[in-house]
Amino acid sequence: MTDAPGLPSAHAKVLERAARVAGVPVAVHRVRGASETLAAGWGGCAACRAACASGAGKAACARSRASAHPLARTLGGPVTLVCHLGLGCVAAAWPGVPELMLTFGPYVPAGEDRGLAAELRRALAALPGGRVPGAEDLAALAAGIPRAPYGAVPAAVEWTLEELSRLPSPAAPPSEAVEAPEPPPPAARPPRGAAKSKPAGADFDAARIALA
């Protein structure tokens, strides 16, 4: 699934490509204080959907992401975290737009998935109001979690940040939408022989006005 209504197409293409290369879900959240809204997302995870079926699960997911936000903003690079389900995620702040946070994951390091179904059961059972699937469903949820080589997802995040930093800020209006002001009408020509007077401030550099 691809959903990026709040992002320019050039930025969305970078993130969509990053999700394919990393092989993990990618989400962009707009964070203001303690509140967050989903701005865009690529991919999905059945285990996450099972956890977020309850309000407690959604809140736990948001707390997991929020725990990495301060460090991600400070470092300006990827920060690895373990979510409330015991799965790996990588968070990063959007270059130049710290209220936009990227999350890559969840995923499991390749070869480290032993006992994953039991870990999922424990985490889902700990959620108030959560439903614990049966053994077969748990096994399916565990099988659907992406596996990634060590270091692959943080490296994909680093590449993504480099590509996004080359693009205009998504918060800025596109250049084609900014219309140039109409030129002022030409000044009336003074009568022949009249003394020319210089308007006050005519020597002021217009470039300095633009920089004010």
Side-chain angles (χ1 to χ4, degrees):
M1 180 188 70
T2 301
D3 183 21
L7 295 178
S9 59
H11 303 73
K13 287 179 181 178
V14 169
L15 291 163
E16 184 177 13
R17 181 180 298 175
R20 292 199 307 267
V21 170
V24 300
V26 174
V28 181
H29 289 86
R30 189 176 299 275
V31 181
R32 292 189 176 100
S35 65
E36 67 170 21
T37 55
L38 180 65
W42 292 264
C45 172
C48 290
R49 287 192 293 270
C52 291
S54 67
K58 291 180 180 179
C61 185
R63 285 194 301 271
S64 297
R65 288 191 299 270
S67 67
H69 291 172
L71 184 57
R73 291 189 178 108
T74 300
L75 294 180
V79 174
T80 303
L81 64 101
V82 178
C83 78
H84 69 106
L85 294 178
L87 308 175
C89 292
V90 179
W94 191 297
V97 191
E99 72 174 21
L100 289 179
M101 299 299 301
L102 312 178
T103 306
F104 281 56
Y107 67 96
V108 177
E112 298 294 331
D113 54 358
R114 186 175 182 179
L116 181 57
E119 177 66 17
L120 279 178
R121 187 183 190 287
R122 181 202 61 76
L124 292 173
L127 294 173
R131 185 183 68 85
V132 180
E136 291 186 3
D137 291 337
L138 277 171
L141 292 179
I145 298 170
R147 272 67 167 171
Y150 274 103
V153 178
V157 176
E158 289 178 347
W159 174 86
T160 303
L161 297 179
E162 291 172 0
E163 292 300 308
L164 292 177
S165 66
R166 295 187 176 101
L167 297 173
S169 168
S175 57
E176 62 268 21
V178 180
E179 298 181 359
E182 295 184 2
R189 178 175 296 180
R192 184 181 299 274
K196 296 181 179 180
S197 60
K198 183 185 292 185
D203 289 335
F204 194 86
D205 187 356
R208 292 178 59 190
I209 297 176
L211 294 175

